[in-house]
Amino acid sequence: MLSAKFFKKIGMKTFVLCFVFACCSFSGWAQNNDSMMVKKIVDEVLINGHSYNNLRKLCKDVGQRLSGSENFLKAVQLTSKMMKDAGADTVYLQECSIPHWVRGEKEKGEITFKNGKKYQLHLTALGNSVGTPQQGISSAKIIEVKSLSDIPKMANELKGNIVFLNIPMNPTYINTFRAYGESASSRTRGPSLAAKYGAIGALVRTLGVNINDIPHTGVTRYNDSFPKIPAVAISTNDAEILSKELKNNQVKSVWFFSGCKILPNVIGYNVVGEIRGSEFPKEIITVGGHLDSWDLAEGANDDGSGVVQSIEVLQTFKSLGIHPKRTIRAVLFADEEMTGGGSDAYLSNAITNKEHHIFGLESDAGGFSPRAFGFDASDEKMKTIEGWKPLFYPYGVYEFYRGGGGADIGPLKKIGATVAGLMPDSQRYFDIHHATTDVFENVSERELKLGAGVMAALIYLVSEYGI
Amino acid sequence: MLSAKFFKKIGMKTFVLCFVFACCSFSGWAQNNDSMMVKKIVDEVLINGHSYNNLRKLCKDVGQRLSGSENFLKAVQLTSKMMKDAGADTVYLQECSIPHWVRGEKEKGEITFKNGKKYQLHLTALGNSVGTPQQGISSAKIIEVKSLSDIPKMANELKGNIVFLNIPMNPTYINTFRAYGESASSRTRGPSLAAKYGAIGALVRTLGVNINDIPHTGVTRYNDSFPKIPAVAISTNDAEILSKELKNNQVKSVWFFSGCKILPNVIGYNVVGEIRGSEFPKEIITVGGHLDSWDLAEGANDDGSGVVQSIEVLQTFKSLGIHPKRTIRAVLFADEEMTGGGSDAYLSNAITNKEHHIFGLESDAGGFSPRAFGFDASDEKMKTIEGWKPLFYPYGVYEFYRGGGGADIGPLKKIGATVAGLMPDSQRYFDIHHATTDVFENVSERELKLGAGVMAALIYLVSEYGI
């Protein structure tokens, strides 16, 4: 460790620099006040915040919260109570229709090599996938696909065989979400597209950057015009092995079984907690994350962190006795992972009730150290927003970029809201995404709280000044 | 998770913006070339880097590497081999005198309350501390100290009693090293200062921001003019409990035992690996971390990460076939944690051999996502360095601040070198610092490699242009 004396020196210097920077960039009393309020808010979360303890409860008392599961309903109850405890004026549930997919009997699979040896695959059924027959499915020809655009040219080979969608995430992208964005269609659309051309099952390379044995699930979507084929993710390491052995012509056959089923939709709920605005109660600011998770772990970062951070925003206003001028709603959305049923319900309610939504902020990129906010805003609104940027620099948020909101909050743009997203450091996200590793122990208390703190500060500014 | 399509869009936008920014800020062919070289270097580490696998070996095949232990010598052997495998022209050991402190029989301690109940403390002996007698030490009066400056005023109370140094790290500092800098003297100087005024033993609040049961060790230093008293760290949670119960006047006594011993110094080694410069071989650039660790865990982040990142710098030059103009030395320092014996030896060798050291870079703040470099450089040199800053922005390094180097590299300033330090995100550092939690599993492959990548890029620029 670098010496204490040294850090005392540079720490102070950095702090003074940041403080001077934050102060100089503004003029006037109001903006100095903003700087002090932002500090007060972030300090409150770092010292007294409830988000980390709430996340522990959500992960350990409930655990996985798969859409349509009993656990999802338990999470609705628990987080409703958390909203009340946080001091929301009103807490209510918003009904919606959500999918009910069940994993069933544990999946398994293996490669048989031409020398007779077998290799047990590390695999997990994809969400929304159909299962295989009880005896599983197998094929002697495994058709490796490196790009979805190749599929239509491979109709002859695909027919009657298992497709192997081997589209790695690009490790050189520093924003790992960009790499995910480029490769995720292998999972979401790949199996159905291969089915169109006759494939009978799909092995999909896990969407993770590192090479290891942990398979990641996630939704696959069927086009109703084509047969629904069973689809599983295999680990990145297995994908490397399979690809190499196919190239070496050493693979005799691949077999896999999955026991999952798609059941009829059920009723789910968004959990909504509100602090009514004191001056402009009809101007609504939403802050949210999604309550559902995959079933392999606790959904600690996807999106337990967004859930507890959103509740923390309400908590912070109440703890500091801030009466927001505009109405603030924390919303825990149902069913982000499969069909967006919760987000649809929230939007359609807003339309039906002619609500005036001015701003929405989503946290669904993990509870890691915050680095940026993304905004989907008009040029003029972006000018106001840019003026706030120096307030966040001392807390490690150094970038305000164009483009924001996410799957749940993004749709509020349709009714005129400016939408935004918290963008934390993305290096670890795809280590835990949709995998057994997404547990409470992989969340850092300070990172989570720092994210909640800057979220609360941004919501404060919008509640104070509008947008 | 935010939708793939959305991230594809914003990822690309951010990338294009960063790229444009990086390109526009420069003019001329050479600087575009620099941008491309930096990308080539970082890409190489992210795709083919050895640092993560090397760290696994260091942590799992050797484990803790306490100064003076057999394991430290094993680590010298293992990392010498890694240096050779990385392609160093020359690998050699540099002898130095290092302390030999042993923990001995496991420490234990308890609070006895006035109601007769006992509470088992979570504690760990401080490094370099003497042990207690076999029966331990106890006192009925526990003297709580909130600031070292209070100690001289408390001579009457301290005499014959146990001192409780309860100086928390400030949780509102975003740079956690600043909080450490302000509080660390409670551990390094506090016990000896209390001994000056008659204290017989010391309980020191763990230097960690979060409240939990994990005690952290670390060096304490004795002033030879005062008695050497046994000193242990207690967990932050225990410190909160003890402080509360003292305030409530519920504590009957405290007892603790520690079995540690200070043995005579032994011979240790710095491990040095070098790539000789092709044009200016006498201009030396050092990049390093420290090889010793505390004994409670694997020293994965303190400072295994700095060790493997430094080796990765050499590896990257070799893998990409870059022949540096100036000589690059990766140095794994002995004994950073106790007396700085390795650093002293490196400096005195440099003086004896009249070496011309132009630059030194230290990585000893954890293998987390890089955010900044700190530089201790003249104003003029800082101008050159500032010109490189935009090259690092696309990799998340957005700040070049004044002040840099660390305990091992910092002393090179005395012989004219510009010294620098890698400053990664600091939120998690004091979760693992000097504690049982400093294990390989708490290091992220991408974060570690990204740090190594920007270090290699900075060393490349200095090797190319001098400073």
Side-chain angles (χ1 to χ4, degrees), chain A residues 315-368:
Chain A
Q315 178 81 51
T316 310
F317 275 76
K318 282 291 167 179
S319 301
L320 293 176
I322 304 170
H323 301 288
K325 291 185 183 164
R326 291 161 177 86
T327 293
I328 297 172
R329 264 196 209 154
V331 181
L332 317 180
F333 292 91
D335 178 32
E336 189 271 348
E337 294 292 2
M338 286 198 261
T339 68
S343 176
D344 289 350
Y346 189 68
L347 180 67
S348 73
N349 267 281
I351 293 170
T352 306
N353 300 330
K354 295 185 178 152
E355 290 175 351
H356 180 28
H357 284 261
I358 64 163
F359 187 73
L361 172 63
E362 182 153 340
S363 169
D364 187 15
F368 306 108

Side-chain angles (χ1 to χ4, degrees), chain A residues 98-303:
Chain A
I98 61 173
H100 189 194
W101 170 83
V102 291
R103 184 172 296 274
E105 197 184 328
K106 196 171 157 44
E107 53 279 292
K108 51 198 165 180
E110 65 190 19
I111 308 171
T112 304
F113 296 110
K114 288 189 174 164
N115 66 7
K117 288 194 176 159
K118 288 175 188 290
Y119 177 84
Q120 300 299 315
L121 288 162
H122 303 82
L123 83 181
T124 181
L126 293 184
N128 191 45
S129 169
V130 296
T132 65
Q134 194 57 40
Q135 73 275 21
I137 58 170
S138 66
S139 72
K141 277 183 85 177
I142 312 300
I143 312 305
E144 183 172 354
V145 167
K146 300 268 190 178
S147 159
L148 293 199
S149 59
D150 292 343
I151 290 181
K153 306 169 211 159
M154 300 169 87
N156 283 344
E157 293 155 278
L158 286 168
K159 203 171 168 65
N161 291 316
I162 290 174
V163 65
F164 167 34
L165 294 143
N166 189 20
I167 304 175
M169 279 173 66
N170 187 330
T172 71
Y173 293 171
I174 303 307
N175 178 353
T176 59
F177 287 103
R178 182 183 168 216
Y180 181 72
E182 279 191 13
S183 302
S185 59
S186 63
R187 189 196 71 216
T188 55
R189 297 196 298 116
S192 193
L193 187 61
K196 178 179 178 183
Y197 294 96
I200 58 163
L203 302 176
V204 181
R205 182 191 179 106
T206 275
L207 292 163
V209 189
N210 298 324
I211 304 301
N212 59 39
D213 287 332
I214 304 164
H216 299 203
T217 188
V219 76
T220 192
R221 297 200 179 92
Y222 294 119
N223 183 322
D224 287 337
S225 312
F226 317 132
K228 291 181 178 176
I229 62 171
V232 296
I234 61 173
S235 72
T236 48
N237 196 29
D238 285 2
E240 294 285 304
I241 291 169
L242 181 56
S243 183
K244 184 178 137 208
E245 299 301 342
L246 285 170
K247 198 176 289 166
N248 294 341
N249 196 23
Q250 294 302 309
V251 177
K252 189 179 165 203
S253 65
V254 165
W255 167 88
F256 73 92
F257 161 81
S258 73
C260 43
K261 281 196 190 78
I262 306 170
L263 303 176
N265 268 24
V266 298
I267 297 297
Y269 304 95
N270 295 330
V271 181
V272 185
E274 198 172 286
I275 301 178
R276 200 169 156 79
S278 58
E279 288 189 30
F280 312 104
K282 292 198 168 172
E283 294 188 20
I284 296 167
I285 298 163
T286 304
V287 56
H290 65 87
L291 189 54
D292 65 313
S293 76
W294 286 105
D295 59 326
L296 298 179
E298 298 163 1
N301 259 317
D302 186 13
D303 181 25

Side-chain angles (χ1 to χ4, degrees), chain B residues 367-383:
Chain B
F368 306 108
S369 275
R371 280 187 172 250
F373 282 114
F375 297 89
D376 199 336
S378 66
D379 287 352
E380 201 183 320
K381 283 176 183 163
M382 203 62 199
K383 267 187 214 160

Side-chain angles (χ1 to χ4, degrees), chain B residues 289-300:
Chain B
H290 65 87
L291 189 54
D292 65 314
S293 76
W294 287 106
D295 58 326
L296 299 179
E298 297 163 1

Side-chain angles (χ1 to χ4, degrees), chain A residues 1-2 6-7 171 173 180 302 336 364 369-371 393 396 399 405-406 423 425 427 429 433 446-447, chain B residues 1-2 6-7 171 173 180 302 336 364 369-371 393 396 399 405-406 423 425 427-429 433 446-447:
Chain A
M1 238 285 307
L2 299 174
F6 166 75
F7 273 111
Y173 293 171
Y180 181 72
D302 186 13
E336 189 271 348
D364 187 15
S369 275
R371 281 187 171 249
Y393 190 88
E399 200 169 82
M423 184 44 69
D425 193 284
Q427 300 314 311
Y429 194 75
H433 182 236
R446 282 197 54 92
E447 290 189 337
Chain B
M1 238 282 310
L2 298 175
F6 165 75
F7 273 110
Y173 292 171
Y180 181 72
D302 187 13
E336 189 271 348
D364 187 16
S369 275
R371 280 187 172 250
Y393 191 88
E399 201 170 81
M423 184 44 69
D425 193 284
Q427 300 314 311
R428 284 174 286 151
Y429 194 76
H433 183 236
R446 280 195 58 90
E447 291 189 337

